[in-house]
Amino acid sequence: MATLLYRLGQTAYRRWPLFLVAWLIAMVAIAGFAATSSKPMTDSFSIPGIPSEQAADLQSQLFPGAKDAFDTASVKVVVAAPDGHQLAEPTYAQAVDALVADLKGLPQVPAEAPVVNPVQAAAAQTEKIVAAAGQAGLSPEQAQANAQALSPLSPDGRVGTISFDLDVATVADVEPTTIDELFSVLDTARGSGLTVEANGTGTTGMAEISMTSELIGVAVALIVLVLTFGSLVGGGLPIITALWGVGLSAAGIYAMTAFTEVGSTTPMLAIMIGLAVGIDYTLFILARYRSELEHTDDRRHATGIAVGTAGSAVVFAGLTVLIALAALSVVRIPFLTTMGVAAAAAVFVAVLLALTLLPALLGMLKSKAFGGTVRKYQPKREDDGVVLNNGVRWARLVGKAPVAALLIGVVALGALAVPLQGLHLALPSDSTASSDTTQRQATDLIADAFGPGRDAPLLIVVDGRGIDDPGQRTAAFAQVATWAGEQSGVTNAQLVASNPEGTGAQIMVTPTKGAADTETENLLTDLREGQAGVEQRTGTVIGVTGLTAIAVDVSEQLADALPIYLSVVVGLAFILLTLVFRSLLVPLTATLGFVLSVLATLGATVWIFQDGAFGLVEGQPIISFMPIFLIGLVFGLAMDYQVFLVTRMREAHVHGYSPREAVVDGFRSSARVVAAAAVIMIAVFGAFVLIDEPIIRSMGFALAVAVFLDAFVVRMMLIPAVMYLLGEKAWWIPRWLDRILPNIDVEGEKLDRPHLQTDDEREPVNA
């Protein structure tokens, strides 16, 4: 492989105009297609086949006009009079009437939508429910309780809700102008002294991508790169290639929408990953190029060597990331598959650019590749002429007490992982949105006025087609409602609809707690566990659905998929690393180190984002897909550092160094670059914490912490300590396995490098 990449690097250096034009054409073609053919993105997190989706299918059979909860673009406008006043007072009633009139005039609001003043709607609805309850034989108290459970007016008359659905096929079809005009209407209504907020799936729209955080990350990366290379031009090259890759990947993701549904958070995550690895991969090759220039004046040859050696490590590092991200498709969760494929595509583009665009730029710049010097590279050298840097000093320090370094690292990571035992996963909802959003404020108003469960209803669909007698069917529906109402954690359960044939019914269950509360999740579990019994007693078939049930099912499906995903990723990566290092213990220690860093990262994330430690953020459940996505990405990045660092150790060992000397030489060659790459990653990921979007913010924090722990604790403290303790055994491999493994030559043994000393010529390294 090293020979092949050597030729590729030389070709790109020599024929740089051809490569630059090719990448320009690729950008124009993909961006042009995306601009003309892309479709809106979606916020759907549904998974086909989960129990709540099966119940939704049953609902569609019994109620042909019913829409899937995730496809319904619902809007709930919450209006509140000042404290001590009621909406029925003439001043506020007039303002609410004006608000209702404005809402009816919004785009995509159907003419028949029930947009009504909540005071008037509550009175009419109560009269209707009480009358129906009387006919069904319910007590007056139960009838009043049912009416209040569904009333759009709070018991004190101060807060009301106006609910309607937009006339769209899916949430993705909601026009941005509709949401803008809705918010404008809310602002107008606030001028009358009312508090007016809105939530629901029809109010969120697509996530806006702000460039502020990316620019901060890029600025920090540029500073680190300029300090690393001591050159403005050299420091800018990784930024240029990474930004080119991010632009290409983003255009490709928008182009993907022409063929499949793409989640609205997918581009942001792909950009985050593509930017980070794009800078890192180019940095590794460029650092190797500068190192080779110390041994030759032939820049084309130096480019070939850099691409042939560091480029080989980039290819295998990129492969591990690709495996980790692409393997997200194994769990068969559509939105997660899309996110993984998009991020994997961004990494693939980053690898291609590092192998071709960077050498082409070096060919164009030639001797000016490290122009704009701000600091001359004059490393200190040891008596034998080899470089003496902080990497060498650190490796020798760890080598003095490897057992102590190992214990300190493991204990520290273990302590950080402790909060993980309280992990609570949930999908994002209005109740988990930022407190300054209208969606969150509307949810808080409803929780205070109506109870937290009002915005988290569960819907039981009852199929009575197996019962012939109409009277028995009606009695069975009532039995199911009574059974549901007797469950722990239920405020109210009542029949809210039946189909014209009388064979199907819908029972609305109002929990006592909110959608993201564990008590609501327990209620859903209790309903499912008691389902078989009530079906047997009543002769019906039932299912529980609704937005809350679907969200809980998705979270459970993600948690169940985690072990499968982890097994696939670790297994494939172990094989790949065995090929690279021709060892069994090195891949094993790399994997165990990853497990420690990811557990510590998840623990720190739970501590900050779920438990609300230090008051930095509002405590709320961790986004359901964050652990599985974090594991995939961090595993890839961890293997990046492992490959870049340990490859140089193996390269030294292959060229005759003792195991102990090889560790020191590996740190001499790679520690500075790996540290710079890690700092860049931390800056890029950490900048996303500034985005006012809980998913992106928690992901940015988790990724930044993961990179810090894995690069500086695991790879630079635990791994060298273990390598010192293992000694020659670290490179042990069974002979039969060594014979059947293909020689992929990541170290570039076959490349012509006269400066490399043989074991007999070289002075020993003082480790």
Side-chain angles (χ1 to χ4, degrees):
M1 171 174 286
T3 304
L4 181 65
L5 292 178
Y6 172 82
R7 292 171 183 161
L8 176 63
Q10 278 206 329
T11 303
Y13 184 93
R14 188 174 71 253
R15 297 182 180 277
W16 61 266
L18 181 65
F19 280 78
L20 293 184
V21 169
W23 279 114
L24 185 62
I25 290 174
M27 176 66 85
V28 171
I30 295 176
F33 181 81
T36 55
S37 306
S38 63
K39 295 179 180 178
M41 297 186 181
T42 176
D43 283 320
S44 173
F45 294 105
S46 181
I47 301 175
I50 56 178
S52 49
E53 284 288 346
Q54 293 173 354
D57 293 339
L58 179 63
Q59 183 187 16
S60 299
Q61 294 173 22
L62 297 169
F63 299 85
K67 289 181 64 176
D68 188 289
F70 260 129
D71 289 333
T72 303
S74 63
V75 177
K76 183 179 289 183
V77 176
V78 186
V79 56
D83 289 338
H85 295 270
Q86 294 185 329
L87 293 175
E89 294 175 24
T91 301
Y92 301 114
Q94 191 174 4
V96 174
D97 287 339
L99 170 64
V100 167
D102 289 341
L103 291 174
K104 286 181 177 178
L106 288 175
Q108 299 185 302
V109 174
E112 67 278 9
V115 183
V116 185
N117 186 316
V119 176
Q120 300 164 7
Q125 185 173 296
T126 299
E127 183 180 352
K128 182 179 177 182
I129 291 176
V130 170
Q135 293 176 359
L138 297 179
S139 66
E141 293 78 13
Q142 183 63 51
Q144 285 295 332
N146 287 350
Q148 186 54 52
L150 300 180
S151 175
L153 188 67
S154 64
D156 61 1
R158 192 179 77 84
V159 181
T161 60
I162 305 167
S163 303
F164 55 91
D165 297 335
L166 298 177
D167 186 17
V168 293
T170 67
V171 176
D173 296 323
V174 177
E175 297 289 342
T177 54
T178 299
I179 298 176
D180 291 342
E181 291 194 33
L182 169 64
F183 291 164
S184 176
V185 167
L186 301 186
D187 286 338
T188 302
R190 288 174 186 131
S192 60
L194 295 170
T195 298
V196 188
E197 307 294 346
N199 67 7
T201 53
T203 66
T204 52
M206 290 172 55
E208 294 183 3
I209 298 178
S210 167
M211 295 303 293
T212 305
S213 58
E214 291 93 327
L215 291 176
I216 292 174
V218 169
V220 174
L222 182 60
I223 293 171
V224 173
L225 289 167
V226 169
L227 292 175
T228 301
F229 291 109
S231 160
L232 293 174
V233 178
L237 285 175
I239 300 293
I240 292 171
T241 52
L243 290 180
W244 193 270
V246 164
L248 200 58
S249 301
I253 292 169
Y254 280 100
M256 279 173 59
T257 60
F259 307 102
T260 184
E261 284 189 355
V262 177
S264 59
T265 55
T266 300
M268 183 66 79
L269 292 170
I271 288 172
M272 184 192 300
I273 296 163
L275 185 62
V277 300
I279 293 174
D280 275 8
Y281 292 166
T282 312
L283 165 63
F284 286 121
I285 295 178
L286 188 62
R288 188 59 180 258
Y289 169 70
R290 189 178 68 169
S291 175
E292 291 300 321
L293 287 180
E294 293 187 15
H295 310 295
T296 178
D297 293 329
D298 185 347
R299 296 183 182 278
R300 192 177 73 178
H301 176 65
T303 302
I305 293 293
V307 176
T309 53
S312 296
V314 164
V315 168
F316 278 90
L319 273 177
T320 56
V321 182
L322 282 172
I323 289 173
L325 294 173
L328 288 171
S329 60
V330 173
V331 299
R332 299 184 178 182
I333 298 175
F335 72 86
L336 204 58
T337 298
T338 305
M339 292 170 67
V341 170
V347 174
F348 180 69
V349 170
V351 171
L352 287 182
L353 287 168
L355 297 177
T356 57
L357 181 61
L358 175 64
L361 290 173
L362 293 176
M364 181 182 72
L365 294 170
K366 295 187 171 58
S367 62
K368 298 178 182 175
F370 293 102
T373 304
V374 297
R375 182 174 61 84
K376 195 164 183 179
Y377 180 60
Q378 293 179 322
K380 291 184 179 179
R381 296 185 182 277
E382 302 199 72
D383 296 339
D384 57 1
V386 296
V387 173
L388 174 63
N389 54 26
N390 289 331
V392 173
R393 298 186 184 97
W394 174 254
R396 288 173 178 167
L397 179 63
V398 174
K400 289 180 180 176
V403 175
L406 188 63
L407 288 176
I408 291 171
V410 171
V411 170
L413 294 175
L416 279 174
V418 170
L420 181 59
Q421 58 186 340
L423 175 67
H424 178 204
L425 300 176
L427 282 182
S429 66
D430 292 331
S431 64
T432 61
S434 298
S435 58
D436 58 350
T437 61
T438 185
Q439 290 83 5
R440 174 63 180 276
Q441 291 171 8
T443 302
D444 290 346
L445 275 173
I446 292 172
D448 292 340
F450 298 93
R454 182 62 176 273
D455 249 1
L458 300 169
L459 186 66
I460 298 178
V461 181
V462 189
D463 181 1
R465 289 176 292 187
I467 304 174
D468 295 330
D469 183 69
Q472 289 183 357
R473 278 201 299 266
T474 303
F477 297 156
Q479 275 185 274
V480 174
T482 302
W483 163 77
E486 292 171 348
Q487 302 299 310
S488 175
V490 174
T491 298
N492 179 267
Q494 61 178 297
L495 185 72
V496 293
S498 57
N499 62 10
E501 298 80 13
T503 56
Q506 297 180 19
I507 295 170
M508 182 76 76
V509 179
T510 305
T512 56
K513 297 294 183 179
D517 198 288
T518 53
E519 287 191 30
T520 302
E521 296 173 6
N522 294 335
L523 169 60
L524 180 61
T525 301
D526 291 343
L527 289 172
R528 294 259 171 76
E529 289 178 350
Q531 181 175 331
V534 76
E535 286 177 340
Q536 189 175 18
R537 291 194 300 274
T538 60
T540 61
V541 174
I542 69 173
V544 186
T545 187
L547 212 53
T548 301
I550 293 174
V552 173
D553 286 346
V554 169
S555 296
E556 290 182 354
Q557 183 83 357
L558 285 166
D560 292 342
L562 200 56
I564 302 171
Y565 171 67
L566 198 56
S567 301
V568 172
V569 170
V570 170
L572 290 175
F574 186 87
I575 294 171
L576 199 60
L577 291 175
T578 303
L579 280 171
V580 174
F581 296 121
R582 306 188 78 79
S583 159
L584 294 181
L585 292 179
V586 170
L588 182 62
T589 55
T591 304
L592 292 177
F594 153 74
V595 172
L596 278 175
S597 61
V598 80
L599 290 178
T601 299
L602 287 173
T605 306
V606 168
W607 193 35
I608 298 296
F609 282 86
Q610 182 180 309
D611 299 341
F614 306 118
L616 299 176
V617 296
E618 299 170 62
Q620 55 186 243
I622 302 299
I623 304 301
S624 298
F625 57 83
M626 200 270 271
I628 195 168
F629 198 81
L630 178 75
I631 287 172
L633 183 58
V634 172
F635 188 81
L637 296 177
M639 295 308 105
D640 276 4
Y641 299 133
Q642 180 78 10
V643 169
F644 289 126
L645 202 56
V646 183
T647 296
R648 295 305 293 264
M649 295 182 195
R650 174 168 168 74
E651 185 175 335
H653 186 256
V654 166
H655 286 94
Y657 285 69
S658 71
R660 194 174 183 84
E661 294 168 344
V663 173
V664 175
D665 196 66
F667 270 74
R668 173 185 290 110
S669 305
S670 297
R672 180 186 176 89
V673 179
V674 168
V679 170
I680 291 169
M681 284 273 194
I682 293 168
V684 171
F685 292 145
F688 283 84
V689 176
L690 303 176
I691 292 181
D692 190 20
E693 163 56 51
I695 298 176
I696 303 299
R697 180 185 295 173
S698 60
M699 285 293 289
F701 172 85
L703 288 171
V705 171
V707 171
F708 173 79
L709 294 178
D710 197 85
F712 293 107
V713 179
V714 174
R715 305 303 150 191
M716 293 200 177
M717 193 160 85
L718 298 186
I719 292 299
V722 171
M723 296 293 282
Y724 280 128
L725 293 173
L726 289 175
E728 191 67 42
K729 294 176 184 174
W731 306 108
W732 175 81
I733 187 171
R735 289 186 179 179
W736 62 267
L737 183 59
D738 189 41
R739 283 196 298 271
I740 62 174
L741 287 179
N743 185 4
I744 52 180
D745 189 23
V746 175
E747 300 81 15
E749 291 179 76
K750 297 178 181 177
L751 298 180
D752 179 22
R753 288 181 290 172
H755 65 277
L756 287 180
Q757 299 171 312
T758 65
D759 190 41
D760 295 334
E761 298 166 342
R762 181 177 47 79
E763 294 293 332
V765 177
N766 295 324

